[in-house]
């Protein structure tokens, strides 16, 4: 019930914020901008790294793709949202970067970073939060609504004896005094930091001292302070030939260190970013907000999520599709029994069987106010320009027989392995083919 209230409150907050050649695997801006053709009831969710760019280098097919997605006036033909697990910058910065790389206008309201749904967690906005990551994390936190922010650097300066792995950073000569800080109430993990050893040590210190590193460790106090983590990607694709470690790898380290020291599992208040349902709920709202601003009257009934990472992009889109199908079935069943149809959309735990006590941020959205607005489904399209490559591994046609957790599953600890969720609706070579496929599926000319 508490989670439901949180989601309802967050949903209203979001609304008010925005008001101011393919291989088929399965068969189963500003308000003044206008689209150049009539609305057709679908929207596109693009991953960025490995789909549109590799590091700072645009993938050639991406530029070709966006030349077709916009008309000669630069107007988009369909609603487009960029959904990335990156989170080390502001939306404005990411939008400007994409505009330059794709040679097409991208506005901040089209960009969703891994931490964007934290705007909904207003119960933490007035608490003192420790933030971990890199880039302008303090600015990002304030922009999301957090008022009392402590960075890892602020923490190590206040407690100079805590960070001692790097001998060059240890205090020299006299031991400096401890300045102390206000008690920390929660920990927010935005993304992988630069100095893993520093962040791991200080985060564990905060968890084991209930937010006051001046105190002695106390592993008996359990559960620990709330921890909210964004971006669970174990791997991501940059310019290097092989994938690089992502924030998911940092989380693996933190979870194992905490359990090794305390004997307890690290618990998350929320896991945000792909593949969590709350992320796709938020992305769906962005698509719909764009359609409304652009004067569309046809509801967005179909979403197409294009990504390169089977665990993040494909698992997430399929999980959200399962969420939508469950919501629609529940509504039909309720109406058949003579109900009103005002049914609660299922929580993430109901559709994914995650093991996290917080259901991995699956804050079940109420379908009571917006049941008719739910899309019919979300299709997943896997491209071969990033984490997944046909040269390295062909996806099996029958995942129940040939996909194994050891071979493919790189998901977070709190998302159980489900081979069906790793099976894309379609596999294509690149994003250009993905977009062409979508328009073909919709029976709508792309040219």
């Amino acid at each position: 019930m508490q989670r439901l209230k949180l989601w309802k409150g967050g949903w209203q907050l979001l609304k008010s914020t925005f008001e101011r050649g393919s291989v088929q695997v399965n068969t189963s801006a500003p308000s003044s901008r206008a689209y150049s053709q009539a609305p057709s009831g679908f929207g596109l969710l693009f991953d960025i790294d490995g789909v549109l760019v590799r590091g700072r280098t645009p993938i050639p097919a991406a530029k070709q793709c966006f030349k077709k997605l916009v008309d000669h006036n630069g107007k988009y033909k369909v609603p487009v949202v960029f959904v990335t697990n990156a989170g080390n910058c502001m939306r404005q910065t990411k939008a400007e970067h994409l505009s330059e790389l794709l040679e097409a206008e991208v506005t901040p309201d089209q960009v969703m970073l891994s931490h964007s749904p934290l705007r909904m967690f207003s119960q933490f906005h007035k608490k003192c939060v420790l933030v971990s990551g890199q880039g302008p994390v303090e600015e990002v936190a304030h922009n999301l609504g957090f008022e009392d922010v402590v960075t890892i650097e602020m923490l190590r300066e206040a407690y100079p004896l805590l960070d001692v792995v790097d001998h060059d950073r240890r205090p020299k000569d006299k031991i400096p005094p401890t300045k102390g800080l206000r008690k920390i109430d929660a920990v927010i993990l935005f993304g992988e930091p630069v100095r893993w050893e520093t962040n791991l040590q200080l985060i564990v210190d905060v968890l084991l001292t209930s937010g006051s590193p001046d105190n002695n460790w106390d592993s008996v106090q359990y559960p620990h302070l709330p921890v909210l983590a964004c971006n669970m990607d174990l791997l991501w694709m940059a310019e290097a030939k092989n994938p690089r470690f992502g924030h998911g790898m940092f989380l693996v380290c933190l979870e194992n260190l905490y359990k090794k020291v305390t004997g307890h599992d690290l618990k998350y208040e929320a896991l945000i970013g792909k593949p969590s349902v709350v992320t796709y709920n938020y992305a769906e709202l962005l698509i719909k907000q764009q359609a409304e601003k652009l004067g569309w009257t046809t509801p967005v009934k179909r979403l197409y999520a294009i990504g390169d990472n089977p665990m993040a992009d494909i698992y997430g889109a399929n999980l959200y599709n399962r969420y939508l199908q469950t919501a629609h079935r529940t509504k039909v069943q309720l109406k058949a029994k003579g109900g009103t149809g005002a049914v609660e959309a299922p929580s993430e735990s109901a559709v994914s069987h995650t093991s996290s006590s917080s259901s991995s941020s699956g804050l079940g959205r109420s379908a009571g106010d917006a049941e008719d607005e739910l899309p019919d489904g979300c299709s997943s399209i896997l491209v071969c320009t990033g984490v997944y490559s046909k040269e390295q591994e062909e996806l099996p046609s029958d995942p129940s027989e040939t996909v194994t957790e050891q071979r493919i599953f790189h998901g977070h600890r709190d998302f159980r392995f489900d081979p069906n969720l790793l099976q894309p609706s379609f596999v294509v070579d690149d994003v250009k083919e993905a977009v062409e496929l979508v328009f073909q599926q919709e029976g709508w000319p792309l040219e």
Side-chain angles (χ1 to χ4, degrees):
M1 205 54 174
Q2 184 177 6
R3 287 172 50 210
L4 178 59
K5 289 179 181 178
L6 170 62
W7 174 261
K8 286 181 176 178
W11 193 252
Q12 294 303 319
L13 175 62
L14 284 173
K15 285 185 176 180
S16 63
T17 299
F18 286 113
E19 286 166 1
R20 336 170 261 240
S22 67
V23 178
Q24 184 167 338
V25 178
N26 288 340
T27 56
S28 32
S31 58
S32 61
R33 178 192 290 173
Y35 290 127
S36 60
Q37 300 190 40
S40 54
F42 71 94
L44 298 173
L45 304 178
F46 287 97
D47 180 38
I48 297 176
D49 293 303
V51 174
L52 305 177
V53 300
R54 294 277 294 265
R56 292 173 293 179
T57 305
I59 294 172
K63 283 189 176 182
Q64 299 169 20
C65 163
F66 275 81
K67 285 180 180 177
K68 293 189 174 184
L69 268 180
V70 299
D71 65 12
H72 61 281
N73 293 319
K75 299 173 183 176
Y76 283 86
K77 298 176 181 178
V78 295
V80 168
V81 168
F82 301 88
V83 184
T84 176
N85 267 350
N88 57 355
C89 66
M90 305 289 286
R91 288 197 304 166
Q92 178 68 41
T93 304
K94 181 64 75 174
E96 292 172 355
H97 181 60
L98 285 172
S99 297
E100 180 181 350
L101 291 177
L102 299 175
E103 297 178 0
E105 182 192 6
V106 177
T107 58
D109 60 351
Q110 289 178 281
V111 175
M112 179 177 172
L113 303 173
S114 62
H115 53 62
S116 296
L118 285 175
R119 295 178 187 276
M120 298 186 300
F121 289 76
S122 56
Q123 76 273 34
F124 292 102
H125 287 175
K126 293 186 181 298
K127 295 182 179 294
C128 179
V129 296
L130 173 68
V131 295
S132 169
Q134 59 182 288
V137 289
E138 186 176 4
E139 182 184 2
V140 168
H142 285 304
N143 182 260
L144 291 168
F146 296 96
E147 299 176 10
D148 192 357
V149 179
V150 175
T151 66
I152 292 290
E153 191 59 29
M154 292 164 60
L155 189 64
R156 67 176 297 272
E157 288 180 0
Y159 301 96
L161 297 181
L162 299 184
D163 183 21
V164 297
V165 172
D166 184 342
H167 289 219
D168 291 336
R169 282 158 66 96
R170 290 182 180 179
K172 304 296 189 294
D173 304 323
K174 292 189 299 183
I175 297 178
T178 296
K179 300 176 184 177
L181 283 174
R182 57 254 188 224
K183 181 179 179 297
I184 292 168
D185 301 308
V187 177
I188 299 178
L189 309 175
F190 281 126
E192 62 271 20
V194 175
R195 286 181 168 270
W196 287 33
E197 79 284 356
T198 296
N199 288 58
L200 290 169
Q201 175 72 75
L202 270 61
I203 291 168
V204 169
D205 282 329
V206 167
L207 295 179
L208 293 184
T209 60
S210 298
S212 301
D214 260 341
N215 297 341
N216 293 327
W217 278 9
D218 183 2
S219 58
V220 177
Q221 289 193 6
Y222 189 79
H224 48 71
L225 298 177
V227 177
L228 296 84
C230 311
N231 182 359
M232 295 162 272
D233 284 357
L234 191 78
L235 302 169
W236 68 287
M237 206 68 185
E239 286 97 342
K241 185 175 181 179
N242 296 306
R244 303 292 85 196
F245 291 166
H247 191 221
M249 199 70 77
F250 178 82
L251 297 181
V252 168
C253 294
L254 180 62
E255 291 157 9
N256 282 278
L257 280 172
Y258 184 84
K259 184 156 190 175
K260 192 73 172 177
V261 171
T262 68
H264 298 296
D265 286 330
L266 182 75
K267 300 289 186 181
Y268 293 97
E269 181 76 14
L271 284 167
I272 302 166
K274 296 178 290 187
S276 68
V277 163
V278 70
T279 292
Y280 288 85
N281 278 140
Y282 193 104
E284 175 205 328
L285 179 61
L286 290 182
I287 285 282
K288 290 178 177 178
Q289 288 286 343
Q290 281 197 43
E292 290 173 6
K293 288 181 179 180
L294 297 166
W296 284 38
T297 56
T298 303
V300 176
K301 286 296 184 181
R302 292 170 300 283
L303 297 175
Y304 294 88
I306 304 169
D308 71 302
N309 189 329
M311 182 52 229
D313 305 310
I314 304 308
Y315 189 109
N318 290 341
L319 180 63
Y320 190 56
N321 186 62
R322 181 180 290 182
Y323 166 93
L324 294 173
Q325 302 312 311
T326 303
H328 287 303
R329 283 196 302 270
T330 305
K331 175 185 171 184
V332 169
Q333 291 168 0
L334 184 62
K335 285 188 174 180
K337 294 178 181 178
T340 62
V343 58
E344 300 297 345
S347 68
E348 183 168 318
S349 59
V351 293
S352 69
H353 310 291
T354 57
S355 59
S356 170
S357 61
S358 63
S359 297
S360 301
S361 270
L363 304 176
R365 153 176 160 194
S366 170
D369 336 300
E371 60 187 37
D372 294 329
E373 297 176 7
L374 283 173
D376 291 336
C378 179
S379 297
S380 57
I381 304 178
L382 180 63
V383 301
C384 303
T385 51
V387 171
Y388 173 74
S389 170
K390 284 183 180 178
E391 297 176 359
Q392 296 178 358
E393 183 172 31
E394 284 285 354
L395 283 173
S397 58
D398 187 352
S400 64
E401 293 183 2
T402 54
V403 178
T404 66
E405 183 168 358
Q406 289 71 29
R407 273 181 70 207
I408 284 186
F409 189 65
H410 289 158
H412 186 268
R413 176 199 69 186
D414 291 355
F415 284 77
R416 290 186 182 177
F417 175 67
D418 185 337
N420 293 309
L421 292 177
L422 291 168
Q423 194 78 355
S425 304
F426 304 95
V427 178
V428 296
D429 286 335
D430 54 42
V431 67
K432 178 174 175 288
E433 289 190 18
V435 171
E436 290 172 348
L437 169 67
V438 171
F439 277 71
Q440 182 182 13
Q441 290 285 115
E442 292 293 324
W444 206 53
L446 183 57
E447 300 296 339

XYZ file of all heavy atoms in Angstrom, residues 120-161:
332
model
N 10.479 10.944 -8.549
C 9.261 10.444 -7.915
C 9.457 10.101 -6.449
O 8.498 9.968 -5.706
C 8.757 9.208 -8.662
C 8.374 9.471 -10.092
S 7.618 8.027 -10.870
C 8.938 6.825 -10.717
N 10.712 9.933 -6.015
C 10.969 9.478 -4.643
C 11.046 10.667 -3.686
O 12.050 10.887 -3.015
C 12.245 8.635 -4.616
C 12.099 7.298 -5.276
C 12.082 7.182 -6.657
C 11.959 6.155 -4.512
C 11.934 5.952 -7.273
C 11.813 4.904 -5.123
C 11.797 4.813 -6.506
N 9.959 11.407 -3.639
C 9.943 12.661 -2.887
C 10.117 12.454 -1.383
O 10.480 13.397 -0.672
C 8.646 13.429 -3.171
O 7.527 12.619 -2.872
N 9.848 11.254 -0.888
C 10.008 11.017 0.554
C 11.456 11.118 0.991
O 11.751 11.227 2.175
C 9.409 9.660 0.951
C 10.250 8.451 0.575
C 9.969 7.958 -0.823
O 9.677 8.743 -1.716
N 10.063 6.662 -1.024
N 12.402 11.102 0.034
C 13.824 11.238 0.360
C 14.375 12.634 0.048
O 15.527 12.916 0.365
C 14.652 10.201 -0.417
C 14.414 8.792 0.014
C 13.612 7.946 -0.734
C 14.981 8.297 1.187
C 13.384 6.641 -0.343
C 14.756 6.991 1.591
C 13.945 6.155 0.831
N 13.579 13.476 -0.568
C 14.101 14.741 -1.074
C 14.554 15.698 0.020
O 15.413 16.543 -0.211
C 13.066 15.414 -1.978
C 12.910 14.739 -3.308
N 11.973 15.111 -4.240
C 13.596 13.694 -3.869
C 12.083 14.334 -5.309
N 13.051 13.463 -5.097
N 13.994 15.594 1.210
C 14.398 16.486 2.295
C 15.379 15.819 3.263
O 15.832 16.447 4.219
C 13.158 16.981 3.057
C 12.264 17.906 2.228
C 11.142 18.485 3.056
C 10.241 19.375 2.218
N 10.966 20.534 1.657
N 15.695 14.561 3.011
C 16.640 13.847 3.870
C 18.071 14.120 3.426
O 18.317 14.554 2.297
C 16.358 12.348 3.824
C 15.003 11.952 4.418
C 14.813 10.450 4.370
C 13.474 10.052 4.972
N 13.403 10.337 6.416
N 19.026 13.846 4.316
C 20.439 13.986 3.966
C 20.878 12.715 3.240
O 20.808 11.615 3.792
C 21.280 14.178 5.227
S 23.047 14.345 4.898
N 21.307 12.875 1.988
C 21.654 11.713 1.178
C 23.122 11.764 0.766
O 23.653 12.820 0.420
C 20.753 11.608 -0.072
C 19.304 11.387 0.325
C 20.879 12.834 -0.960
N 23.777 10.603 0.820
C 25.134 10.456 0.301
C 25.030 10.000 -1.142
O 24.332 9.024 -1.441
C 25.908 9.412 1.109
C 27.305 9.039 0.574
C 28.263 10.214 0.700
C 27.846 7.805 1.293
N 25.698 10.693 -2.072
C 25.616 10.342 -3.486
C 26.972 9.846 -3.977
O 28.019 10.387 -3.631
C 25.142 11.533 -4.344
C 23.718 11.908 -3.976
C 26.056 12.740 -4.195
N 26.935 8.801 -4.796
C 28.141 8.198 -5.355
C 28.030 8.157 -6.866
O 26.957 7.907 -7.418
C 28.313 6.774 -4.804
O 29.319 6.067 -5.502
N 29.146 8.404 -7.538
C 29.174 8.387 -8.990
C 30.301 9.259 -9.477
O 31.284 9.488 -8.773
N 30.170 9.769 -10.697
C 31.147 10.723 -11.207
C 30.434 11.772 -12.032
O 29.260 11.634 -12.359
C 32.213 10.016 -12.038
C 31.721 9.255 -13.248
C 32.841 8.553 -13.981
O 33.650 9.190 -14.635
N 32.878 7.232 -13.871
N 31.145 12.831 -12.366
C 30.487 13.945 -13.030
C 29.831 14.854 -12.001
O 30.139 14.793 -10.808
N 28.891 15.685 -12.423
C 28.272 16.662 -11.509
C 27.197 16.037 -10.635
O 26.030 16.417 -10.678
C 27.678 17.687 -12.476
C 27.318 16.891 -13.690
C 28.390 15.830 -13.814
N 27.578 15.054 -9.795
C 26.579 14.308 -9.034
C 25.798 15.185 -8.060
O 24.601 14.963 -7.841
C 27.229 13.121 -8.276
C 27.662 12.039 -9.228
C 28.394 13.586 -7.417
N 26.459 16.181 -7.495
C 25.740 17.064 -6.563
C 24.695 17.886 -7.307
O 23.544 18.013 -6.859
C 26.734 17.981 -5.843
C 26.098 18.815 -4.752
C 27.114 19.645 -3.980
O 28.310 19.632 -4.352
O 26.706 20.300 -3.000
N 25.067 18.408 -8.462
C 24.125 19.181 -9.272
C 22.972 18.311 -9.755
O 21.805 18.726 -9.749
C 24.858 19.799 -10.466
C 23.973 20.679 -11.345
C 24.715 21.205 -12.569
O 25.901 20.856 -12.753
O 24.094 21.965 -13.334
N 23.293 17.099 -10.178
C 22.260 16.166 -10.633
C 21.274 15.879 -9.511
O 20.057 15.906 -9.709
C 22.903 14.847 -11.138
C 21.837 13.766 -11.323
C 23.642 15.078 -12.450
N 21.800 15.623 -8.306
C 20.934 15.316 -7.167
C 20.002 16.483 -6.848
O 18.800 16.288 -6.621
C 21.785 14.966 -5.952
N 20.541 17.686 -6.832
C 19.699 18.858 -6.565
C 18.648 19.032 -7.652
O 17.490 19.366 -7.377
C 20.558 20.116 -6.456
C 21.323 20.223 -5.170
N 20.708 20.174 -3.932
C 22.651 20.379 -4.922
C 21.618 20.289 -2.971
N 22.809 20.419 -3.547
N 19.032 18.795 -8.899
C 18.095 18.920 -10.014
C 16.945 17.919 -9.902
O 15.824 18.197 -10.339
C 18.834 18.728 -11.340
C 17.934 18.884 -12.547
O 17.483 17.906 -13.126
N 17.666 20.116 -12.923
N 17.214 16.759 -9.303
C 16.182 15.738 -9.131
C 15.270 16.014 -7.938
O 14.264 15.330 -7.761
C 16.836 14.366 -8.946
C 17.539 13.790 -10.184
C 18.384 12.586 -9.796
C 16.525 13.408 -11.248
N 15.628 17.012 -7.120
C 14.782 17.383 -5.994
C 15.383 17.159 -4.624
O 14.770 17.499 -3.607
N 16.588 16.589 -4.563
C 17.220 16.344 -3.258
C 17.827 17.644 -2.733
O 18.547 18.339 -3.438
C 18.296 15.265 -3.389
C 17.741 13.924 -3.797
C 17.737 13.531 -5.128
C 17.190 13.080 -2.852
C 17.213 12.311 -5.513
C 16.657 11.851 -3.222
C 16.665 11.469 -4.560
N 17.524 17.962 -1.482
C 17.899 19.260 -0.932
C 19.169 19.215 -0.086
O 19.886 20.211 -0.005
C 16.733 19.804 -0.097
C 15.445 20.017 -0.918
C 14.276 20.467 -0.067
O 14.506 20.792 1.122
O 13.140 20.497 -0.573
N 19.441 18.102 0.551
C 20.577 17.991 1.470
C 21.494 16.882 0.957
O 21.260 15.701 1.208
C 20.070 17.680 2.879
C 21.158 17.845 3.932
O 22.312 18.133 3.566
O 20.848 17.662 5.127
N 22.548 17.263 0.234
C 23.370 16.305 -0.502
C 24.798 16.295 0.036
O 25.418 17.347 0.223
C 23.377 16.640 -2.006
C 24.262 15.660 -2.767
C 21.952 16.629 -2.565
N 25.335 15.106 0.264
C 26.731 14.913 0.659
C 27.396 14.039 -0.401
O 26.884 12.970 -0.736
C 26.839 14.228 2.033
C 28.298 13.917 2.370
C 26.214 15.096 3.120
N 28.525 14.495 -0.951
C 29.258 13.693 -1.916
C 30.317 12.856 -1.204
O 30.669 13.113 -0.047
C 29.934 14.582 -2.966
O 30.952 15.363 -2.314
C 28.929 15.503 -3.641
N 30.847 11.873 -1.908
C 31.921 11.049 -1.352
C 33.135 11.920 -1.017
O 33.795 11.736 0.019
C 32.322 9.938 -2.339
C 31.190 8.913 -2.479
C 33.616 9.262 -1.904
C 30.951 8.055 -1.258
N 33.428 12.893 -1.861
C 34.569 13.774 -1.620
C 34.357 14.608 -0.357
O 35.279 14.807 0.441
C 34.793 14.695 -2.825
C 36.101 15.462 -2.798
C 37.328 14.563 -2.752
O 37.267 13.421 -3.282
O 38.353 14.978 -2.172
N 33.147 15.098 -0.153
C 32.835 15.840 1.070
C 32.997 14.946 2.292
O 33.496 15.370 3.338
C 31.397 16.384 0.999
C 31.203 17.479 -0.053
S 29.448 17.785 -0.439
C 28.808 18.283 1.143
N 32.608 13.683 2.153
C 32.694 12.750 3.271
C 34.149 12.449 3.627
O 34.522 12.439 4.803
C 31.959 11.458 2.909
C 31.758 10.442 4.033
C 30.859 11.002 5.128
C 31.165 9.139 3.483
N 34.986 12.217 2.608
C 36.392 11.896 2.905
C 37.153 13.108 3.443
O 38.090 12.953 4.223
C 37.093 11.305 1.683
C 37.301 12.213 0.508
C 38.100 11.512 -0.590
N 39.438 11.165 -0.140
C 40.478 11.984 -0.228
N 40.330 13.212 -0.712
N 41.658 11.616 0.198
N 36.739 14.305 3.060
C 37.362 15.504 3.624
C 36.952 15.702 5.081
O 37.746 16.166 5.901
C 36.978 16.727 2.794
C 37.658 16.768 1.422
C 37.250 17.985 0.617
O 36.436 18.794 1.139
O 37.717 18.131 -0.531
N 35.708 15.343 5.392
C 35.231 15.490 6.776
C 35.825 14.430 7.693
O 36.033 14.668 8.888
C 33.704 15.418 6.807
N 36.111 13.256 7.131
C 36.691 12.156 7.916
C 37.971 11.689 7.216
O 37.986 10.664 6.514
C 35.699 11.002 8.031
C 34.389 11.385 8.680
C 33.280 11.730 7.908
C 34.254 11.403 10.070
C 32.076 12.089 8.501
C 33.059 11.754 10.666
C 31.971 12.099 9.881
O 30.789 12.450 10.472
N 39.066 12.410 7.373
C 40.286 12.178 6.580
C 41.001 10.857 6.846
O 41.903 10.493 6.094
C 41.174 13.365 6.969
C 40.657 13.839 8.279
C 39.199 13.575 8.270
N 40.610 10.132 7.889
C 41.273 8.869 8.187
C 40.579 7.659 7.551
O 41.052 6.527 7.689
C 41.349 8.653 9.703
C 42.164 9.676 10.494
C 42.160 9.320 11.974
C 43.593 9.746 9.967
